[in-house]
Structure formats: structure tokens, C-alpha cells
Amino acid sequence: MGSPRVVGRSEALVAVDDLLGAAEEGPAALALSGPPGIGKTTVWLAALDRARERGVLVLASRPVPAEVRLEYSGLREVLDPLSDAVGTLPLPQQRALRAALGVEPSGPGGGPQLVAAAAGTLLRDAAARGPVLVAVDDLQWLDPSSRQAIASACRRTPGRLAILTSARTSDAPAGGEDVPVAVIEPADPRRLTHLPLAPLTPADVTAVARDVAGRTLAATTMERLVEAADGNPLFAVQLAEHWRSRPTPDGLPASLRALVAERLSALPHATRDLLLTAACLADARVDALAAVHGDVEAVAAAEDAGVARVADGRLRFAHPLFALGVLDAAPPTRRRERHRRLAEIAGGAADDEARARHLAYAAAGPEPATLDALDAAADAARSRGATSVAAELGELALGLGARSPQRLLQAAADRLGTDAYGRALELASEALPALTAPLERAGALATVGQARFRLGDIEGAVSALRAALPLAVGDADLHVSVFGDLATCLLNSGRLEAARAELPAVDPARSPATAAATAPSTAPAMDDGALAELLGARVVIDQLAGHGYHDRIARRALALESADRVTPAIRWPTVNVASALLFSGRPGEALPLLAAAERRCVDRGQETDLWFVQFSTVRAALLVGAVETAAEAAERLDERARRTEGPVLDLMARTAEAHLLAWTGRTDAAAATARRAVERFEALGAAHVAALPAAALASVLLAAGDAPSVVTLLRPLERLLTAAGYRHPGFPHHLSELVEALATAGETVEAAAVLDGYEQVAARAGEAWLRGVLARGRSAVSAATGDVTTARQYLERALSCFAAPDLGAERGRTLVSLARLERHGRRRASAAAAARRAVAELDAVGCALWCRVAQDEVDRSSGPRSGTALTAMEERVCTLAARGLTNRDVAYALTMSPKTVEAHLARAYAKLGIRSRAELGARMSPAPGPPDKDNT
């Protein structure tokens, strides 16, 4: 079993890497500390993995309470990998160590000092051969004899030695020793770093719970879990395990009861009774408590015990787990009675939701008054956009036994709106058999299709949505909605022509009423918003199919679009038109549309739909040189993916990350990230979507001169896309890489054939960008066949096609090709001039990957680089980084995200021709001044 995924511990992992790096220069230690469950072991295990990846010999011990009094048990674990070397020790050390480890009886003179000396000799010899990590987890459980021997051995060992310990700083269970955190350290205490682990952020607690739950918990359930865990990942894990099979959270898992039961049981009965009331209330106001109990004097005992306190007219528990513990200890009948009483005193519209919840918790079955209250509160929640609240109220009704198919279907729709795709699928599937009305069945099948798509079951989604489409006739909104979802699934499974075939025929010049009047009798009446969505879908589908960008239809779709229409953002005309513009080489026009779509998503609370908008923003922003915008969008997408069930969003986040890494010159990370994304997309049955990360990988490989690998990667994808009906290369932006790689690899006939296949598309589309890409490709073929004059003419034609302001990256790439062509023709001056122009163009858009290639051309044509000026922000970032600040520290100081810092550093590294922080420190250091005359 591998180590658990590390969440929210970037600072700790950086400290681990720093420890392993520092140990190359001599013994160094890192002491992790924190309360139980804070994640020390998770970081510790990750550190061991990192060390092994570096080829470090790991000597580790993980003591447990049962082993505390077993002498030298920890030392036995630590020295086990060195057992073969025991025979090389001096005879007295051999005997003492063998006796200590239970191999043979102890002889004369075999004491702790000799055991420590033997351990020191083994450790010193190992460190002389190579780097060693001595690691002890839960130091408080390590038996004292082992602790003494290991500490002594570490103090005596020079060389490449890293020491890693973790220890509890509070709440040590009975039997564990309260040991100093720094009990094992190198001889030089200045080489020891203490790192207390802080509580996780709410977002990271959510990610931890998601890893455990196996399906998305309801948003309100997750909010309660985050509050209860209070930044403690162990508590988050335990709560997620306990609540994962419950539609609504209730009770504490047994593994946490012991942490709170002891303190609660010592309180007087009256105090515990008052605390039960407080725990049943969302807002434990003193006046509400008094309404139930008459007075709140009993709270004094809880305050004295540190369990709760009263402030600002409210009772607050010292820790959320105390509230959960109080509820957990109360018998069900007592809790129902208390909720019934609280429902009685609730009054006013503001308390409708609270009253409905109290009634639900007080009920033993589906009482009509309770269901009416839950339905009214859920409707009110939906009306204000609180889908997660509506979902939880719906689950309360289901839990009481009210499971009509209509109620199940509504609950499924609510769960779909909270990203709980597994639960939505479960509920809709339960409802389907009992639904007979066509529109109701269509709605249920649509929910099934959407949920299956988000869960990665594309074929299941297509099947459900195709079954729903004919049933949805008669309801324009539902019909268009089902088509939009079906088209998305077909496009993501490589069936473009099938998506075009399903597209309803509408005339963009007609009004909705006219279109409906002339449509087949089976078609639903269509309003402006529905027509706009169909037109937007037609724009992007026709664009992908190679029919060009329909400017008139796009403008009509945008004009008819209704901002008040509640549909997924992936169907909005704004988003589809932006996608088509991006595919047609007009990223500058796409970017403001995408920004508007993101604002609309946020304003309307449709954060579920942000993923596609953010992914497209990353690509568009990179192409126009807005690297910071791209980095911020990628970070938002990554955060969204971590909070969402299913593989789709995570894969899109990884693909966006790969493009950002490649663009900013972080080639190793870009290649690794892109390769994993390609493999995972193919495993999902979405091989054609794998072209998106493959395009980033191909760019990295081509920039490194590895044309054969580019051909191997892109050739099958090009054939797959062509067979699926994707005739426009703007979708993955892969054509330049494929053709140049084929030409470089000597496959000129195939390269020309690929270009021929797109010539008709270019003629039909009339896009300057596509004409420029084809011209640059023709140049590569001509150059490979020795026709330099024609190659140069094609490059000049490409440059004229790339004249638009937002095509600076394409101009830069074309100028790199021109510089190479001129250099190979021994026209060094013109080669250097073209290369310098390429550097300027690529630097202006922040494309460090190809800027580095262009700078190499400058060097080859005119000698060593003289350097490229850093921007003001790059200068500030580099200055702070050179002083030793981490990326997170720099981000905090300059009020930007860590990803933006990484992007600035990557561009600066490319300009400076460096690859490490050490080189950066040297380059950013002030040049030495003239010698002091008084000292010469």
C-alpha cells in the first residue's frame, strides 16, 4: 500500500526537500510536531518516499503504544537494513548489539553505551557510503533505550545524514512519554529545524474528506465536517468515514468518542441537558436556551470545565466535537423530544428552515406537517440559489420514508447541483422505474446522463441522454437541455458527426416564433434563450467539423442570449462562441467573453460550471501572453477539481496545468503531468480529448528537438480526430508540432498529406491563423526537401497571416523557423536578426519554452547571449527568491498566488539561462565593486 496523499502540507514537503538537500552538506534534522491527528505521519511517510526516490538509504521506525516498554524495539527497526554489516563491527560492539537486539545473550561489558557505540559505527559507515535518512515517527512512543542509542548514534555521525522525527506536543495518550521534540538531533543543534504543523485550511480538510468518502458529500454535510474537524485531518477522515453512507450527518464515529466522553461525563446532568439543547440549535442564543430551560445557570459548570462559554448572548462550545459528543451521548428519544420543543418555540419566516429541521429530527416517520415544512423550506432555499440547503432538506424528507418518484427526482436534481454526482445517480435511478409520464422520464434520464458523464461513464451518459431526447419533445427548455448534454458527451467521446446529426435544424435569421411555426410538428416551441443556445452549439460544432467560424450566427446567438436563463455554462452562447474563437486563432476576442462567463457563474452561484470556462481561460490567456491570468485560472480550476467528485474535472485541471507548465518553460513537470493526463483520458475512453494534454507534451518534446517522439505521440491522435470528424486543428492546437516533427524526421510525404487534408478547411474557413499554420508547415516540408527559397517564401506568408496583435506566439514560432533556415544557409546576420525578433515576440507573451529555443538560435548565430531584460515584476520575484524565500513566502509578500510566482520564475530562468535557485542567487547578487584602496 502506498503512502496516503499529502494534502495542504506544501510547507512541510518543502522542509523535507530542504532537509534532504541540506544533508548533502552534513548532518541535518527536521522535527515535526503537533497535536494528535494533525498529519505528522502522513508527512513523515511522504518524506520517506521522497528520500527513496533520491536514492537515500532509509532507516526508519514507527513505534506504537504496545511497544513502548519493549527495550530496543525501535533500534531493531532502524538497524534492520544494516543487519548484514553487524559482523564487520569490533567484537565487543558486535556482542553488545546482538544482545540488545535479542540475537544472543548479553556478555560482559555489554551496556547502553556500547550498544550506542555499535549503532554509531554502523550509521557512520553507512553515511560514508551514501546519503542516509534516520526517521522516527511518534517519538513519544519510542522506547527509552532505543531513543538513547539512536540519539547518540546520530550525534556521533558526520557525513550525509538526515534525521526526521515527529512527536505529539499535547494530548499524549496515557502511557506515552512527554518527550522533548528535539530529542534526536545532529551534533550541531543549529542544523535542526522545528516545524509545528498547523491546522489544515477548510479547502484542504474538504480534499481530505473527499479522498475518504468515495463519493461527494453534500455541501452542507461537508461544511459541518469542516467545522467539526477544525483543521485536523484525522478528525476529517474519521468523520468522513462515519458520514459517507449517510445522506445527512448524524453522530460521531466510535474512534472519536473517547476524546470527548471523559470531559462531558464529569459535568452535572443539568449542564449536559442544557448543552444538548445548545447542540441541537444552529445558533445557541441564550434566550432560546432560557425558553427551554427557564434559565442558563447550569452553563457555569461547562465554562469551568472548558467545554463551552457564553459570549455575546450565545453559548459556544470550546470545540465542535464537544457538541457532536453531546448529541452522540443522548438517546434518540431524548433528542427527538428536544427537537420537538425547539420546533414549538421557532417562529417567523426567518426560522422556517430551522423549524423544518427540528420537525424532521423530531419525527419518527413521514408526517404530513413535517413534509410540508421541509418542502416549503427547500423551495425557499432553491429560490435564493441555496441548492445545497435544498438538497439536505430533501434528504431529511427521504430519510423519514417519503420516497415518491417525484421527490426522488427533485432530490437527484438538487444533488446534481451540488456536485454530488454519485448520489444524484443513485436517486434518479431509484425514481426511474416508477415514472411513466414522458417528460418526467426524460428529466430522470437527463439527470442520469449528466451524473454518469461527470463520473467518467461517457457511454452510459450517451445511452441515457439518447433515450431522454425523444421523450423531451414538448418542453423546449428540457429538449434543448438534453441535446446540449448529449452533444457534450458525444464531443467528449469523439463522435462529432453524431453530435451534428442530433443538432435541431433552426434558421438563425428567423425569430423563435417563426422557427417554431415552420419546424416539424413534434418540435417544441422555442424561446429566444433556447434558440440562442442551439445557435451557439452550432457555431462551435461546425467550427470543429471544419466548416469555419460562423460570424453571423455567433453574433445572433449572443444577441438572443438571456442572462436570466438557468442552464449549465457549457451551453451558454457566450462560452460556445468563445470556444469557437479560441479554436479559430482569435484568443484575444475569446478572453473577454470567458471573463464575462466566469463572472456570471460566480454571480449566479453556478460554480459547478466554472471548470470549462476556467480551462478555456488558461488556454486563451497563455496565447495572448496573460500568463498571470492563466496561472490564476489554473489555480482556481485545480481548487475546484479537488472539491468535485469524478475524474473529469481533475483531468481538465491537470491538462491546464500541463499547458501552463509547458508555456512557462517548466519542461520536466509539464511532460510528466501531460503524460499522466493522456493516459488517464485514454483509460476513460476519451482518447480524442487526450489530444489536449498531448499538444502540451508535443510542444515540450519538439522544443527539445525530439521529433520522433512527437510523431509517435501525435500521429495516432491525428488519425483518430480525422476519423471522428474533427477537421479543424484549433481544437488541440497540434498541427504545427505534428507537421514540423514529420518533416524533421524525414517523413515529408506524410507531412504534405496532412497539410493537404486541411487546405480545403482553410479555404472554407477563411481564417488567417489557419492559413499561417499551413504556410509554416509547408515551409518545414520545403526546407526538409532542400527547397530553401520556397521555404523562406512560405515563412514570409505565415508572418503576414500572423499579423494580428494576439498572435505574438505564432509570430515568434515562425521567426524561430526563419532563424534556423537562415542559419542553415549560413546567413548568420539575418539568422541572428530573426532570432532576436523571435525572442522579443515570445518574451512579450511570456512563452519561456520557445523563448529559450529562440535565445539558443541567437547564441548560435551571434555568439553567447548578452541576456534578456527582466520585467519589473520578474526582478522583484527573483530578488525575493534569491534571498531564500519560498514561493509561498514570495506570493504572500507580493500579493499573488504561488503559481504566479512559479510562472515569473520560469520566465526569468529562461531569460537568464539558469535552472536552479543556487544559480539565481549567484546571478542576483550585486557585482563586486572595485577594491578598497586602503586595503590594497
Side-chain angles (χ1 to χ4, degrees), residues 214-384:
R215 65 175 177 83
T216 301
L217 298 172
T220 49
T221 302
M222 186 60 73
E223 289 170 4
R224 191 174 179 193
L225 184 149
V226 169
E227 179 187 12
D230 198 25
N232 188 299
L234 173 62
F235 292 176
V237 167
Q238 296 297 329
L239 290 169
E241 285 283 6
H242 190 62
W243 287 344
R244 65 187 300 181
S245 60
R246 292 165 171 79
T248 57
D250 186 26
L252 280 170
S255 56
L256 295 184
R257 288 176 182 150
L259 298 177
V260 297
E262 182 177 351
R263 293 172 75 178
L264 292 174
S265 63
L267 298 173
H269 173 77
T271 301
R272 295 200 303 273
D273 193 50
L274 184 142
L275 291 178
L276 173 61
T277 303
C280 289
L281 286 165
D283 182 14
R285 301 188 311 272
V286 170
D287 58 348
L289 297 175
V292 175
H293 297 276
D295 61 61
V296 294
E297 292 180 3
V299 79
E303 290 185 301
D304 292 342
V307 171
R309 63 187 178 86
V310 174
D312 301 324
R314 287 171 171 78
L315 184 145
R316 292 182 172 85
F317 286 91
H319 192 285
L321 289 172
F322 286 122
L324 292 170
V326 168
L327 292 171
D328 194 53
T333 54
R334 188 170 164 219
R335 289 171 64 177
R336 284 199 294 270
E337 179 276 328
R338 191 57 43 85
H339 280 294
R340 188 173 296 109
R341 175 66 180 130
L342 290 171
E344 291 172 358
I345 67 173
D351 286 340
D352 284 349
E353 181 186 329
R355 179 174 175 274
R357 289 178 183 275
H358 287 309
L359 286 172
Y361 287 128
E367 301 169 359
T370 298
L371 296 179
D372 288 345
L374 287 170
D375 290 343
D379 288 342
R382 289 186 204 99
S383 68
R384 64 178 187 268

Side-chain angles (χ1 to χ4, degrees), residues 612-696:
F612 184 77
V613 176
Q614 289 166 342
F615 173 77
S616 300
T617 298
V618 172
R619 297 189 66 205
L622 289 176
L623 291 171
V624 302
V627 178
E628 289 186 33
T629 299
E632 290 164 0
E635 190 165 13
R636 293 193 299 274
L637 175 58
D638 181 67
E639 181 181 353
R640 183 72 198 168
R642 288 191 291 120
R643 294 187 284 115
T644 302
E645 184 182 16
V648 176
L649 265 65
D650 183 64
L651 280 172
M652 298 307 292
R654 301 289 74 76
T655 301
E657 180 184 14
H659 278 277
L660 179 64
L661 290 168
W663 191 271
T664 54
R666 290 165 283 180
T667 53
D668 291 344
T673 302
R675 281 194 178 94
R676 287 194 296 270
V678 169
E679 292 167 359
R680 290 176 62 196
F681 269 125
E682 290 175 342
L684 277 179
H688 78 290
V689 187
L692 290 170

